[in-house]
Amino acid sequence: MATIDLGKGMPAADLHDDKPVAGSFGSEDVILVRHRGKVCAFAGKCTHQGAPLETGLVIDGTVRCPWHHARFSLSDGEAVAAPAFAPLDTFTVVEKDGVVTITGKEEQTRATPSTRSIGKVVIVGGGAAGHACADMLARSGLGGDVTILSDDADAPYDRTAVSKDYLAGDAERDDTALPEPGLGRGPAPNVRTGVAVALIDVEGHAVVTADQDRVPYDVLILATGATPVTPDTVKAADNVFVLRTLADADAVKAAAKDAKRAIVLGASFIGLEAAASLTQAGLSVTVIARDSVPLAKVAGPEVGKFVQALHEEKGVTFHLDCELAQYDGHTAMLDDGTAIEGDLLVVGVGVEPRIDLAKAAGLKIAEKDAGGGVSVDAQLRTSADGIYAIGDIASYADPRLGHPIRVEHWVHAQRQGQWLARSLLGAVTGGYGDTPFFWTGQYDTSLHYVGHVAKPDDRRIEGDVAAGDFAVFLKEDGKEQAVMTCGNHDEIALKKEAAWDAA
């Protein structure tokens, strides 16, 4: 960040509307923002992963993180959109005689609001959507009415770290933990881990756990997420791993300790992130995939070849346009007869929504061309009264596209959870319409994707893909609906997200 000592002040004329200025106060990084005639001062780093907020954008009364698009209110520093939850510290500012000066750090006293109860809320699933929904309800003072039932043995954690920082060894296990829902403001939700829900008693407004514990609800929120697909060719083999949960990453890390060679089956984002992490952990990695070019079905072959080159520069070998015929725990045989040695194999061929619970309860399930998840309306309501679905399982009508989609992105799931909480509280009206967003880290390169298209056939490229500085604009039915960015073009993704959200 810049080194302006804002305790000594800066010329007020150098502070322009909605243009963050970086500086310091004592030992802390801060930003100054002039917005609607008022000068505000906040901690200068995003509370999610420490991104420098002076390179973010000020839009609609919020400052938006340049890395992962978290949003903070300019009125009080509150984190109003995931993936950040903790607020920004705020500072006292004085503007006098043409000089803007920070005079001190403000006390963080955020009172728990008094909110009318909406009854007992049961959330099935402690992933991105479930945690974010519980957090927003708890921040509004209703944490004591909320129960999360999660079949994961671990308390809610950041699943994006599973295939990235934690697997690569750049983060400790405890670093993956998500903040306690509600941030300590009032009663905390009851988070019950290791609890599987066996069925929903729709008429009786209760769920029944695998241990036959009956949990009543007034509002039931299904946030059951997705499960990795494991091909039949490797289901019975030893040394085969999926990568979805923290426990999955533990198992891969343990196997990798004594391994020299790893095989990744699938060139999906998760598969390629796993390949990068295992390479960084010191293993020789081979990727096997049906695709001719990695990620070509998402952003086109130009981006796919760029990402493939990033991996090849690090020593990763690709076997593309081929099928895995067999893996015996040590050697993979391809359909063309090629044999590849591997001490472990990580499957990254995609996931399927976990809809068995919803299906057994008689909830409406979306058709395959609508994503195959649980069908919900604009308010994220399922076909059963009092039951909602969010996150990876929700098939909802996207207002910009004009047809249902199901999205498997971490931040999108979080924001669905936050929106549903606000909707239940009466804080928002209308239907859900946040623009999907995700990012992927491939070594030191980050790619941002905003929007949604079924396929990237109609695309326009701006910049230099091979140099890692580009934007790919993607159309569906002749209308621009998504963009993938990298390098100096990343600001485009922030601006597009804001514009499409406002449309």
Side-chain angles (χ1 to χ4, degrees):
M1 292 189 67
T3 57
I4 302 173
D5 184 349
L6 294 173
K8 296 179 179 178
M10 65 167 285
D14 292 344
L15 187 61
H16 304 291
D17 287 350
D18 295 342
K19 300 292 183 183
V21 170
S24 64
F25 180 74
S27 61
E28 299 189 63
D29 292 331
V30 295
I31 56 168
L32 283 178
V33 181
R34 187 188 297 279
H35 179 68
R36 295 179 179 173
K38 180 183 177 183
V39 179
C40 316
F42 304 99
K45 293 182 179 178
C46 177
T47 58
H48 174 230
Q49 288 190 1
L53 292 177
E54 82 268 17
T55 61
L57 294 180
V58 173
I59 300 173
D60 295 334
T62 64
V63 58
R64 304 192 177 205
C65 172
W67 288 1
H68 307 122
H69 295 203
R71 303 171 199 167
F72 300 91
S73 170
L74 289 176
S75 63
D76 58 4
E78 186 77 356
V80 294
F85 292 95
L88 296 174
D89 287 337
T90 57
F91 297 79
T92 304
V93 183
V94 172
E95 183 173 4
K96 185 178 180 181
D97 299 328
V99 177
V100 176
T101 307
I102 293 180
T103 58
K105 189 174 183 178
E106 297 179 340
E107 290 292 326
Q108 293 297 315
T109 54
R110 296 176 188 270
T112 302
S114 177
T115 305
R116 179 181 57 84
S117 175
I118 57 174
K120 295 177 181 177
V121 179
V122 173
I123 301 173
V124 182
H131 169 269
C133 187
D135 171 76
M136 192 58 69
L137 290 171
R139 278 199 250 172
S140 300
L142 299 183
D145 295 335
V146 179
T147 298
I148 294 178
L149 302 176
S150 171
D151 60 3
D152 199 314
D154 290 290
Y157 53 88
D158 186 345
R159 189 165 284 133
T160 66
V162 167
S163 58
K164 300 182 182 77
D165 294 347
Y166 181 56
L167 185 61
D170 295 332
E172 297 297 323
R173 202 177 197 278
D174 289 348
D175 296 336
T176 68
L178 289 170
E180 178 187 61
L183 304 174
R185 304 177 195 171
N190 180 16
V191 181
R192 297 175 57 185
T193 58
V195 177
V197 174
L199 63 90
I200 303 169
D201 179 355
V202 176
E203 295 299 321
H205 276 231
V207 298
V208 180
T209 72
D211 293 333
Q212 298 304 301
D213 181 17
R214 187 177 178 86
V215 184
Y217 66 81
D218 296 298
V219 176
L220 176 62
I221 300 169
L222 301 180
T224 46
T227 189
V229 174
T230 304
D232 293 338
T233 50
V234 298
K235 276 184 177 177
D238 293 330
N239 301 324
V240 173
F241 304 87
V242 295
L243 197 53
R244 179 75 179 177
T245 67
L246 203 49
D248 291 337
D250 289 338
V252 174
K253 285 166 71 76
K257 278 184 179 179
D258 299 319
K260 294 182 179 179
R261 297 159 299 189
I263 297 170
V264 174
L265 180 61
S268 64
F269 285 108
I270 292 296
L272 292 174
E273 287 172 0
S277 294
L278 290 169
T279 298
Q280 289 172 276
L283 278 69
S284 174
V285 177
T286 298
V287 175
I288 301 168
R290 295 176 176 178
D291 310 299
S292 301
V293 178
L295 307 181
K297 294 177 182 177
V298 178
E302 300 87 359
V303 172
K305 289 176 182 177
F306 163 70
V307 173
Q308 182 178 342
L310 291 177
H311 283 267
E312 289 175 336
E313 288 171 6
K314 299 292 185 179
V316 176
T317 300
F318 284 83
H319 287 267
L320 302 171
D321 266 330
C322 60
E323 297 273 358
L324 176 67
Q326 182 183 354
Y327 177 67
D328 63 6
H330 302 284
T331 304
M333 294 297 299
L334 305 186
D335 57 356
D336 63 2
T338 301
I340 301 169
E341 300 298 312
D343 303 307
L344 68 149
L345 184 147
V346 178
V347 179
V349 296
V351 297
E352 352 180 268
R354 297 177 64 189
I355 59 173
D356 290 350
L357 193 62
K359 191 179 291 186
L363 304 185
K364 183 180 178 182
I365 303 301
E367 298 294 332
K368 250 188 175 180
D369 61 0
V374 179
S375 184
V376 297
D377 65 10
Q379 285 72 44
L380 306 180
R381 298 175 295 202
T382 71
S383 56
D385 184 48
I387 302 179
Y388 300 77
I390 53 177
D392 291 357
I393 65 169
S395 173
Y396 71 99
D398 183 274
R400 290 192 310 111
L401 293 170
H403 62 75
I405 60 173
R406 188 178 63 81
V407 178
E408 297 168 356
H409 303 333
W410 178 259
V411 172
H412 192 64
Q414 290 179 315
R415 291 183 183 169
Q416 271 194 345
Q418 291 179 320
W419 186 92
L420 177 57
R422 291 181 174 118
S423 178
L424 292 171
L425 295 169
V428 294
T429 58
Y432 176 76
D434 281 21
T435 305
F437 162 73
F438 75 88
W439 81 92
T440 181
Q442 308 288 331
Y443 306 100
D444 295 328
T445 298
S446 182
L447 300 168
H448 293 173
Y449 186 102
V450 168
H452 183 90
V453 294
K455 51 188 179 181
D457 295 355
D458 190 352
R459 64 188 180 277
R460 174 178 64 84
I461 297 173
E462 180 181 298
D464 187 341
V465 175
D469 185 14
F470 61 84
V472 180
F473 301 90
L474 305 159
K475 291 184 177 181
E476 182 171 296
D477 296 330
K479 185 177 179 181
E480 189 175 281
Q481 298 285 14
V483 62
M484 175 170 271
T485 64
C486 186
N488 293 328
H489 284 71
D490 281 343
E491 188 175 293
I492 292 173
L494 268 177
K495 290 180 176 179
K496 286 289 186 183
E497 181 184 40
W500 288 337
D501 279 349

